[in-house]
Amino acid sequence: MSNGNSLVVVGAQWGDEGKGKVIDYLADKADLVARFQGGNNAGHTVVYGANIFKLHHVPSGILNEGTLCLLGNGMVVDPLVLVDELSELEKRGINTKGLRISSKAHLNMFYHRDLDEENEKLLGERKIGTTGRGIGPAYADKVMRRGIRAVDMVEFRTFRQRLEEILPLQNLILNKIYDHKGYDLEQLLDIYRPAVERLGPLVSDTSLILAESLQNGDKILFEGAQGALLDLDHGTYPYVTSSSTTAAAAASGNGIGPQHIDQVLGVIKAYTTRVGEGPFPTEDHSEAGAQLRERGNEFGTTTGRPRRCGWFDAVIARYAARINGLTGLAVTKLDVLSGMDTVKIGVSYDCEGSRAEIFPTSIEKLSKCSPVFETFPGWDEDISRARTIEDLPAAARHFLEVIEDRVGVRIELVSVGPDRSQTIIKDSSNLKRWHF
Ligand code: IMP
């Protein structure tokens, strides 16, 4: 049975919902934080006082001394990037000793990055708009049963042996399909050796660590990356990432049973953004969209790319609630809407003349849908110092009430700025075992 203390935090849009901030806030009280999918395509910016941390693999929980942080089996880990991330954290006085990597996590290698880039080039106008981090090819190799796993880093000779077996095929693909010269084994081994030796001791049976933690009644936080609409199965395929970003993957991506998931908090911005290609019904190409980008600083943490911006979309929020089993919402960046004359919520779609309340299953259909908006008066007040719902202007409170009503999920947390302190707990009934 569940210990009642586990919470999965997932993105409920196309990623970049501000999960890092929410997770950091909640991780403060967690005994263990585990990631379950993705890799360094994720980028969490965590602001803590005067410090800004940009994390890619490492869960935000690392900032809290004593919190155990796991990189689950569902992840693809780039050893070179992870080592840099750890060094950067250590340089800034963060203790990284609590990090463990699942022995079953797959490694995202140099050639995956090349394959990702080359594949995008080949797709031309039909490109996915990936982060270029090699995520798709790394997962493809896992599925093709020719990946290198974290367990292969425990001893350098095993790593050498695996690379010896795998590199000829990777080089062949690079040479023959992409006209890329490929890699020399010894050179690659030299590049990887320090990372493999640094990370090898962190490789563990993380499923067992979790099982023990569950048994102890620990507070466990599962940290999702990307968002519902980027899920490999349920997202806007093929404009998706290559992993399962929805809550159920917290179990399979960590080697625990689904009964151990107690609550699922969906993080959602008060507006919507997307990076990369693919349909985005509430996208705003006018001045309002540009304002959201500037005020919300909507530029990628990982790639620096400007994000496409638009209004809150209740259709995708309802869909995200369904496919994740959301038990609550965390609405972020409400402060970014301050100063807009009017604020809008897409409540349904007009799909070639017929009204759709339900998110279409194909992007062909989705791309023919335009949003039906409800428009509300905006507010001018700076809300970044609000600490309770009552501190918010009536128009902002009303906006939140409409979101709750149109999505059908309770808002538990509202974020009004990047700092931990800029957080309002709206409904503590579920979150109280976490923070109170
Ligand atoms: P990939 O994950 O690099 O393969 O990229 C596939 C799609 O997911 C692209 O549209 C990316 O922009 C998007 N994506 C991947 N990671 C993130 C993220 O952390 N935030 C937002 N979008 C992401």
Side-chain angles (χ1 to χ4, degrees), residues 269-273 280 282-284 286-299 307-312 333 336-338 340 343:
K269 259 192 280 221
Y271 50 97
T272 311
T273 63
F280 174 1
T282 62
E283 183 168 13
D284 189 305
S286 75
E287 188 51 32
Q291 265 183 23
L292 291 172
R293 185 173 311 109
E294 286 311 313
R295 292 182 188 178
N297 190 26
E298 295 296 351
F299 299 90
R307 295 176 186 146
R308 298 158 64 192
C309 295
W311 297 102
F312 188 93
K333 292 194 148 183
V336 173
L337 296 185
S338 289
M340 310 281 276
V343 286

Side-chain angles (χ1 to χ4, degrees), residues 14-16 41-43 116 128-133 135-136 225-226 230 239-242 274-277 302 305:
W14 276 284
D16 308 319
N41 48 348
D116 195 358
I128 309 290
T130 71
T131 59
R133 299 298 190 262
I135 303 296
Q226 290 85 46
L230 289 173
Y239 301 103
V240 293
T241 191
S242 298
R274 164 160 215 182
V275 271
E277 310 303 315
T302 295
R305 290 185 289 178

Side-chain angles (χ1 to χ4, degrees), residues 90-161:
E90 281 156 10
K91 234 190 286 168
R92 295 168 69 186
I94 305 295
N95 184 346
T96 64
K97 291 210 163 34
L99 186 78
R100 299 286 178 278
I101 308 165
S102 164
S103 53
K104 298 169 194 158
H106 276 248
L107 300 188
N108 178 3
M109 305 286 290
F110 248 62
Y111 44 81
H112 291 132
R113 242 181 283 172
D114 294 321
L115 290 168
D116 195 358
E117 265 170 38
E118 297 292 341
N119 196 40
E120 286 281 272
K121 268 192 239 159
L122 210 64
L123 284 170
E125 278 188 2
R126 291 184 303 114
K127 73 176 193 299
I128 309 290
T130 71
T131 59
R133 299 298 190 262
I135 303 296
Y139 277 113
D141 274 352
K142 169 178 174 171
V143 175
M144 290 293 282
R145 293 154 295 187
R146 58 175 188 227
I148 303 183
R149 303 204 295 176
V151 68
D152 300 323
M153 297 195 293
V154 173
E155 289 195 51
F156 190 70
R157 64 188 162 87
T158 317
F159 182 80
R160 162 183 279 277
Q161 200 184 328

